[in-house]
């Protein structure tokens, strides 16, 4: 069975907190059966993914079930508007999350895993192991690579009139005999086939790696070409996260402060090369910010234009969230038009800029989620098919409930905690938490429920309110948790721009600039025919 880190939380210094609730991989209901099963796994196989706690525990501060249901409904009621961030960054964020939380030991050959590899594989790092698996030399991961053991495999789409089959625009698929097996993507982390946008993002990174390999000097010997390319790819990826992704979602001042002055709250003074842990405050609350950026519909490409690229289709035309529309390969008319997801004007490429009406901006980061996230398809959370409007399929309710399960600190607790560590931030007032700024409306909560929420605000909601009061960028508590966690994950990665301070990017316009648009330009050879093959 594919396990998912977030189904059972092993928290360093606390041990196992079983929180399986029919989650993403359809785990059994919460309770003793699942606890026994996870404990048996741990006995056989060592502790699972290593979570930690940055702040205090939120004991006695969790909202009751009816309150979380109402709040979940209020948050996923839709409405609201777009922000300033190009929509591609939503799914880049999801890709980054999967990289951070990927348990590499899932794709390693069991008997060969040393304790050190287990520890490293189950720790958050920004090293693209969701792309590379355990590397071409690992027998279980070799299938992700071409026969040369250096290039990553890509797949071919299926022709649909008038579009031909397109080489290299789908995940590689097709092992096995049943339809379901044939459509399964041959990639380390199946979550990167959970929706079409994250799948196409993954493919862009496959291409990026392959292009880096192809442009290595001939003097790099065959035996070192993979490792050399991987190091370059990983460091460029981290540079892009540090200088492009993070300042778009977080107040730039906080990001700069953390990267220039160091961390104040999380694993302060850790030996840089020690393997990091993943704070539950990041995983269960702060980095779920991306859920609020998801749009209900996209001007996806020439074939699914003018808002007809519905989110439900992005699920359907993937093989984890859907069934590829019943096919075993992606149909060519679904290939992404990256010009509509990222603004190539930033890289001074006017020929790759689409008219504003065709461009997709992410929804503003705020306390609102688009309505389809109230009824997630079962494949996205691995759960059973549930009746319409069942809270188990409501992503907001799931996030709030997950927080309760791990006894997550509230927004107020985290604000106090961070201030006690010398972080300069202003706590939200009760009025700000209640009223926000054109975000989720709390009028369906009873007076008592509202009072409980204003006193002990779930961290995820608090962070999103902070962002919505800050023009759609994380601030205060949220920005600090995200920037410190990502900084530590980069610091502890095998290849690290935090440790290697001399590194400078070489695949962008100059030795200081490497943004997501530069990564895409390099990966797709700057060609419109590859960035937007449907035209
Ligand atoms: C259509 C897109 C997405 C869907 C359907 C989706 C769905 C989910 C679901 C079902 C969970 C588990 C909920 C639970 O039971 O606890 C989850 C977890 C999570 N999501 Fe998303 N998500 C999406 C996009 C994103 C984005 C854009 C980000 C961040 C930028 C993000 C960040 C996270 C994080 C940090 C977790 C917890 C860690 C993990 O399990 O990987 N997600 N998401």
């Amino acid at each position: 069975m594919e396990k998912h880190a977030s189904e059972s939380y092993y928290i360093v210094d606390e041990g196992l907190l079983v929180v399986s609730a029919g989650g993403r991989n359809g785990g059994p209901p919460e309770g003793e059966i699942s606890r026994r099963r996870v404990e048996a796994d741990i006995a056989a196989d060592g502790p699972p993914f290593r979570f930690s706690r940055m702040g205090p525990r939120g004991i006695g501060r969790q909202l009751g079930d009816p309150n979380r249901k109402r709040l979940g409904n209020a948050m996923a009621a839709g409405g609201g508007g777009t922000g300033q961030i190009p929509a591609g960054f939503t799914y880049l964020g999801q890709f980054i999350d999967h990289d951070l939380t990927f348990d590499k030991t899932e794709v390693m050959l069991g008997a060969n895993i040393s304790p050190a590899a287990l520890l490293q594989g189950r720790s958050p790092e920004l090293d693209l192991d969701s792309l590379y698996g355990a590397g071409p030399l690992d027998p279980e991961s070799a299938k992700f690579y071409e026969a040369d053991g250096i290039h990553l495999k890509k797949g071919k789409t299926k022709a649909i009139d008038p579009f031909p089959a397109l080489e290299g625009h789908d995940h590689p698929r097709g092992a096995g005999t049943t339809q379901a097996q044939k459509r399964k993507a041959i990639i380390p982390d199946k979550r990167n086939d959970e929706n079409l946008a994250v799948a196409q993002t993954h493919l862009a990174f496959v291409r990026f790696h392959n292009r880096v390999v192809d442009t290595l000097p001939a003097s790099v010997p065959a035996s070192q070409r993979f490792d050399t390319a991987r190091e370059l790819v990983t460091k460029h990826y981290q540079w892009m996260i540090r200088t492009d992704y993070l300042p778009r979602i977080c107040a730039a001042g906080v990001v700069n402060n953390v990267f220039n002055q160091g961390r104040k709250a999380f694993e302060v003074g850790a030996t840089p090369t020690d393997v990091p842990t993943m704070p539950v405050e990041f995983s269960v609350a702060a980095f779920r910010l991306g859920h609020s950026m998801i749009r209900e519909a996209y001007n996806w490409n020439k074939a699914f234009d003018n808002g007809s690229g519905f989110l439900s289709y992005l699920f359907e035309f993937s093989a984890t969230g859907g069934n590829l529309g019943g096919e075993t390969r992606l149909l060519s008319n679904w290939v992404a038009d990256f010009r509509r997801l990222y603004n190539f004007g930033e890289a001074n490429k006017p020929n790759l800029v689409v008219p504003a009406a065709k461009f997709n901006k992410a929804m503003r980061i705020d306390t609102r989620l688009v309505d389809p996230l109230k009824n997630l398809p079962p494949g996205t959370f691995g759960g059973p098919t549930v009746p319409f409007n069942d809270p188990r399929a409501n992503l907001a309710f799931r996030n709030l409930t997950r927080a309760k399960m791990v006894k997550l600190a509230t927004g107020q607790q985290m604000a106090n905690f961070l201030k006690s560590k010398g972080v300069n931030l202003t706590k939200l007032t009760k009025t700000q938490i209640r009223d926000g700024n054109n975000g989720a409306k709390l009028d369906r909560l009873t007076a008592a429920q509202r009072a409980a929420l204003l006193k002990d605000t779930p961290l995820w909601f608090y962070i999103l309110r902070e962002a919505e009061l800050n023009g759609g960028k994380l601030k205060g508590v949220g920005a600090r948790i995200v920037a410190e966690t990502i900084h530590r994950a980069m610091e502890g990665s095998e290849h690290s721009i935090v440790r290697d301070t001399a590194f400078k990017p070489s695949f962008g316009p100059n030795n200081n600039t490497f943004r997501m648009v530069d990564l895409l330009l390099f990966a797709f050879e700057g060609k419109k025919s590859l960035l937007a093959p449907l035209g």
Side-chain angles (χ1 to χ4, degrees):
M1 185 185 85
E2 277 166 39
K3 284 183 282 184
H4 189 281
S6 63
E7 293 307 315
S8 57
Y9 286 76
Y10 178 87
I11 301 188
V12 174
D13 295 337
E14 290 180 28
L16 181 66
L17 282 187
V18 173
V19 290
S20 184
R24 261 173 145 176
N25 293 300
E30 189 182 4
E32 274 315 299
I33 312 164
S34 53
R35 171 174 285 280
R36 280 203 299 274
R37 191 173 292 174
V38 179
E39 278 171 354
D41 274 356
I42 291 178
D45 194 21
F49 199 80
R50 288 167 0 114
F51 288 96
S52 58
R53 217 181 268 283
M54 187 184 285
R57 292 205 280 174
I59 293 170
R61 292 170 190 270
Q62 306 297 325
L63 300 185
D65 200 49
N67 201 349
R68 275 179 287 109
K69 281 184 183 150
R70 292 222 179 150
L71 183 58
N73 283 337
M75 292 182 78
T82 58
Q84 293 310 313
I85 306 176
F89 287 98
T90 310
Y91 300 93
L92 173 64
Q94 191 178 20
F95 178 85
I96 292 170
D97 169 53
H98 294 168
D99 180 24
L100 281 168
T101 56
F102 183 58
D103 179 350
K104 190 165 64 175
T105 62
E106 301 273 308
V107 292
M108 293 170 88
L109 199 62
N112 291 342
I113 308 179
S114 68
L118 258 184
L119 183 68
Q120 188 263 339
R122 293 172 177 178
S123 304
E125 289 174 9
L126 281 162
D127 55 359
L128 290 168
D129 55 13
S130 57
L131 193 70
Y132 293 117
L137 298 180
D138 184 278
E140 283 293 299
S141 290
K143 59 179 177 281
F144 307 129
Y145 294 83
E146 300 284 2
D148 64 6
I150 302 175
H151 290 84
L152 285 158
K153 270 187 197 158
K154 304 187 295 269
K156 189 174 178 178
T157 62
K158 184 176 173 189
I160 176 167
D161 196 38
F163 306 109
L166 294 165
E167 193 61 69
H169 286 276
D170 187 19
H171 282 317
R173 307 182 187 272
T177 46
T178 66
Q179 289 292 96
Q181 287 167 345
K182 282 188 192 160
R183 73 168 62 98
K184 203 168 170 184
I186 307 172
I187 54 173
D189 188 342
K190 299 296 174 281
R191 295 174 300 171
N192 282 348
D193 199 21
E194 182 260 356
N195 66 69
L196 180 57
V198 76
Q200 296 276 300
T201 305
H202 179 107
L203 261 169
F205 277 89
V206 166
R207 281 178 177 270
F208 180 52
H209 166 83
N210 289 350
R211 271 273 283 161
V212 171
V213 170
D214 292 341
T215 52
L216 287 177
S219 56
V220 179
S223 61
Q224 284 168 29
R225 292 184 83 77
F226 174 76
D227 288 339
T228 308
R230 181 174 183 170
E231 178 171 352
L232 277 168
V233 167
T234 306
K235 287 182 173 171
H236 278 80
Y237 163 66
Q238 293 179 358
W239 190 279
M240 179 273 291
I241 293 174
R242 153 77 182 93
T243 60
D244 192 19
Y245 176 72
L246 278 182
R248 287 182 198 265
I249 59 158
C250 291
V254 178
V255 179
N256 290 336
N257 184 273
V258 170
F259 278 81
N260 297 338
Q261 263 86 55
R263 301 183 302 274
K264 292 194 164 104
F266 180 55
E267 298 191 353
V268 180
T271 304
T273 47
D274 277 359
V275 282
T277 58
M278 163 68 76
V280 279
E281 293 86 354
F282 175 91
S283 170
V284 179
F287 211 56
R288 297 194 186 202
L289 72 104
H291 293 162
S292 96
M293 297 168 74
I294 299 166
R295 293 174 64 97
E296 189 169 0
Y298 293 83
N299 301 320
W300 182 249
N301 59 20
K302 189 176 164 187
F304 295 91
D305 204 352
N306 302 325
S308 64
F310 294 110
L311 181 61
S312 54
Y313 287 151
L314 300 192
F315 292 137
E316 187 176 343
F317 288 91
S318 70
T320 305
N323 70 353
L324 283 179
E327 303 287 344
T328 53
R329 287 188 279 146
L330 183 69
L331 293 169
S332 295
N333 56 357
W334 277 107
V335 170
D337 179 343
F338 280 99
R339 299 170 311 167
R340 295 165 180 245
L341 296 170
Y342 292 94
N343 177 7
F344 289 92
E346 290 166 10
N348 216 0
K349 299 279 177 214
N351 60 323
L352 293 173
V353 174
V354 292
K358 303 287 178 197
F359 192 74
N360 299 287
K361 283 191 175 153
M363 302 305 285
R364 181 183 70 152
I365 301 176
D366 59 19
T367 50
R368 289 175 190 257
L369 268 55
V370 294
D371 174 69
L373 297 176
K374 203 160 139 197
N375 283 287
L376 285 174
T380 62
F381 63 96
T385 303
V386 295
F388 189 67
N389 280 347
D390 186 298
R392 280 172 293 175
N394 178 336
L395 188 53
F397 176 77
R398 290 193 76 89
N399 290 344
L400 295 165
T401 301
R402 194 66 71 188
K404 173 176 183 271
M405 289 169 166
V406 300
K407 300 185 178 59
L408 200 68
T410 60
Q412 290 84 356
Q413 282 182 295
M414 282 310 285
N416 290 339
F417 167 76
L418 292 171
K419 278 168 87 76
S420 78
K421 297 285 173 186
V423 173
N424 181 14
L425 61 84
T426 312
K427 264 172 94 170
L428 294 184
T429 63
K430 281 193 176 179
T431 312
Q432 285 177 313
I433 297 171
R434 188 190 63 207
D435 298 344
N437 174 18
N438 193 27
K441 295 203 169 11
L442 304 179
D443 46 5
R444 294 277 174 89
L445 274 63
T446 65
Q449 285 172 340
R450 227 178 358 255
L453 169 72
L454 300 185
K455 180 170 157 288
D456 292 316
T457 310
L459 185 58
W460 183 54
F461 184 85
Y462 184 99
I463 284 166
L464 292 174
R465 270 291 200 241
E466 276 183 334
E468 123 190 350
L469 290 158
N470 183 43
K473 265 192 191 195
L474 298 198
K475 204 185 162 202
V477 174
R480 187 45 70 167
I481 295 174
V482 167
E484 292 215 1
T485 306
I486 297 229
H487 179 266
R488 177 70 187 109
M490 274 187 197
E491 181 185 64
S493 294
E494 187 185 343
H495 303 300
S496 164
I497 61 163
V498 172
R499 299 202 318 271
D500 177 4
T501 49
F503 172 79
K504 291 282 181 191
S506 51
F507 301 130
N510 57 52
N511 73 357
N512 218 21
T513 311
F514 191 70
R515 301 153 296 194
M516 188 58 187
V517 283
D518 300 312
L519 188 148
L520 291 167
L521 286 169
F522 192 81
F524 291 91
E525 301 163 45
K527 291 182 183 159
K528 187 169 151 191
S529 59
L530 294 176
L531 286 159
L534 307 194

